[in-house]
Amino acid sequence: MSLPPRSIAIVLGTRPELVKLTDLVRLLGPAAHLVHTGQHYDEELSGRFLTELGLPEPTFLTGVGGQPRAVQISAALAQLDALFTAEPPLAVVVQGDTNAALAGALAANARDIPLLHVEAGLRSHDRNMPEEHNRVLIDSIADVLCAATEDNRANLLAEGVDGSRIALTGNTVVEAVRNQLPGATERAALLDRHALTADGYVLATVHRPENTDSAEALRAILTELAALATPGRPVVLPLHPRTRARIEAAGLVDLLAPLTVTAPLGYSEFLALARHSALLVSDSGGIQEECTVLGRPLVVVRRSTERPEAMADFADLVEPGRAIGEAARRRLSSGAEELDRLAALPSPFGDGLASDRIVALLAAVAAPAELAAAA
């Protein structure tokens, strides 16, 4: 059974959402109506991601990017309500815990449109994280909650969510990584282009406000990364424009000197470098998942995590400061044997079929009468 054109509204606003929903959009084909709130939009990053991932041109909202959280949500909500009134979808899909996802969820709920939440049930239990409030609110009103792991499902059940609303799907990140990771020949060429040796460098990213908006935290992170860099083991730091601005404002530019700083990378290029790094150091939520598919160790620089599944084997959670260097050196000292062990482990986030399962759930939600007739 095929769904009508533009009948499934997929509301997103950030680069990680683009990545994680690419396979779902591809499987839905003409039924997908991509709606980009512009929460993160710039031609260098989001524009390139749309092109690189082969996604259709979205409907873009205006006046959302660069605004405070409440303004982002309210501005997106007003425009989504108008869009859903003019062109009512059969179902709305949101992913994760962004302001865009919350706006999409509220707009669907207000118009009584079935709402499916991809990556439901993540919990950090850290109320200082705006994302924690977003994900809890979305889960409370979603009609179908796609839990990536058994832990996520257990979180939802513990909060009193009816089990009939929960589907264990796996995480779409698994197929995203598998489909976007370049082949071995292309990866080797990328390493040559960056003058890097496989398993001979550290790859780092820093972008979360808890780290970039504190000069003290930013200084601690850059100091530890600089100390990890040696002539034989560079530390590669693709630098987000916002992070660079914060570094300059805090007067910390000198700390970049020992590091190999690059412009932001496209998703496939980042995956290629991550796949052959000796270690990843990052505050990204997505990288906590991606490292388990790539089989690489990770030091997570955050106060808390909503992805404890990665901590069992692949990752260590530390706060800014000396603990970064300690965890990094412990991981690096394990050498090739540990890299081989991690590479052989299955990802705790699923088997790469999450998007297929979600499409089936959408068909059941968006066209139940047709499914009943077909049966």
Side-chain angles (χ1 to χ4, degrees), residues 244-268:
R244 182 182 287 277
R246 294 292 181 177
I247 290 170
E248 292 172 355
L252 302 175
V253 174
D254 288 352
L255 291 176
L256 296 176
L259 306 175
T260 304
V261 177
T262 76
L265 304 175
Y267 187 58
S268 291

Side-chain angles (χ1 to χ4, degrees), residues 182-193 272 276:
T185 302
E186 190 178 345
R187 296 200 305 269
L190 281 168
L191 289 181
D192 285 345
R193 194 180 312 157
H276 295 292

Side-chain angles (χ1 to χ4, degrees), residues 206 210-212 214-228 255 279 281-283 299-303 316-330:
V206 186
E210 71 181 73
N211 290 327
T212 59
S214 161
E216 182 182 2
L218 202 48
R219 179 187 297 276
I221 293 167
L222 294 175
T223 298
E224 292 299 319
L225 290 177
L228 284 175
L255 291 176
L279 176 71
V281 180
S282 178
D283 55 12
V299 174
V300 182
V301 187
R302 286 168 54 159
R303 288 189 306 261
D316 300 297
L317 180 67
V318 301
E319 295 195 23
R322 293 175 59 186
I324 298 172
E326 292 166 359
R329 289 183 180 87
R330 185 170 60 250

Side-chain angles (χ1 to χ4, degrees), residues 1-371:
M1 185 201 68
S2 60
L3 293 163
R6 291 169 64 89
S7 61
I8 306 297
I10 300 175
V11 181
L12 47 75
T14 67
R15 289 173 290 282
E17 289 166 297
L18 289 171
V19 166
K20 288 189 172 183
L21 293 172
T22 290
D23 284 271
L24 180 62
V25 172
R26 178 179 54 80
L27 289 169
L28 285 170
H33 177 195
L34 209 56
V35 183
H36 197 311
T37 70
Q39 180 177 330
H40 287 176
Y41 189 81
D42 52 76
E43 194 55 46
E44 181 186 9
L45 294 174
S46 284
R48 183 172 59 173
F49 268 57
L50 283 164
T51 303
E52 180 183 349
L53 296 169
L55 290 168
E57 184 70 13
T59 296
F60 283 106
L61 307 187
T62 60
V64 176
Q67 300 295 326
R69 179 176 177 234
V71 178
Q72 285 193 359
I73 294 167
S74 61
L77 182 54
Q79 293 174 74
L80 287 167
D81 187 63
L83 181 63
F84 293 168
T85 301
E87 190 178 351
L90 295 177
V92 173
V93 176
V94 297
Q95 190 273 330
D97 48 28
T98 65
N99 296 336
L102 179 56
L106 292 171
N109 181 261
R111 291 288 165 186
D112 201 26
I113 302 166
L115 172 66
L116 184 144
H117 186 200
V118 177
E119 207 174 82
L122 273 69
R123 296 292 183 268
S124 67
H125 307 290
D126 180 355
R127 288 179 58 83
N128 290 315
M129 294 177 67
E131 298 94 336
E132 182 78 352
H133 298 277
N134 288 355
R135 62 177 76 102
V136 170
L137 288 167
I138 296 167
D139 284 339
S140 70
I141 60 175
D143 298 288
V144 180
L145 296 100
C146 298
T149 70
E150 285 288 1
D151 283 356
N152 299 156
R153 183 174 181 274
N155 287 338
L156 294 168
L157 292 172
E159 292 173 6
V161 175
D162 189 323
S164 65
R165 290 165 54 201
I166 307 169
L168 189 63
T169 59
N171 196 306
T172 59
V173 75
V174 179
E175 52 261 41
V177 172
R178 289 178 180 173
N179 291 337
Q180 297 298 325
L181 179 67
T185 302
E186 190 178 345
R187 296 200 305 269
L190 281 168
L191 289 181
D192 285 345
R193 194 180 312 157
H194 287 276
L196 297 171
T197 303
D199 304 341
Y201 57 94
V202 174
L203 180 62
T205 71
V206 186
H207 76 276
R208 290 185 64 80
E210 71 181 73
N211 290 327
T212 59
D213 293 359
S214 161
E216 182 182 2
L218 202 48
R219 179 187 297 276
I221 293 167
L222 294 175
T223 298
E224 292 299 319
L225 290 177
L228 284 175
T230 67
R233 189 187 61 219
V235 174
V236 181
L237 179 66
L239 207 50
H240 190 283
R242 185 179 181 279
T243 304
R244 182 182 287 277
R246 294 292 181 177
I247 290 170
E248 292 172 355
L252 302 175
V253 174
D254 288 352
L255 291 176
L256 296 176
L259 306 175
T260 304
V261 177
T262 76
L265 304 175
Y267 187 58
S268 291
E269 186 172 6
F270 178 81
L271 289 179
L273 296 191
R275 169 65 182 81
H276 295 292
S277 64
L279 176 71
L280 293 154
V281 180
S282 178
D283 55 12
S284 162
I287 292 175
Q288 292 176 56
E289 298 161 344
E290 290 157 357
C291 76
T292 71
V293 186
L294 297 169
R296 297 284 109 171
L298 167 67
V299 174
V300 182
V301 187
R302 286 168 54 159
R303 288 189 306 261
S304 59
T305 180
E306 62 282 3
R307 295 170 174 87
E309 297 90 346
M311 302 302 137
D313 288 287
F314 294 92
D316 300 297
L317 180 67
V318 301
E319 295 195 23
R322 293 175 59 186
I324 298 172
E326 292 166 359
R329 289 183 180 87
R330 185 170 60 250
R331 286 281 184 173
L332 289 167
S333 68
S334 299
E337 186 176 335
E338 175 67 356
L339 293 178
D340 290 342
R341 185 184 77 85
L342 293 179
L345 292 175
S347 170
F349 296 106
D351 57 5
L353 296 174
S355 295
D356 295 87
R357 296 185 182 103
I358 293 166
V359 168
L361 291 166
L362 279 170
V365 169
E370 287 88 338
L371 281 177

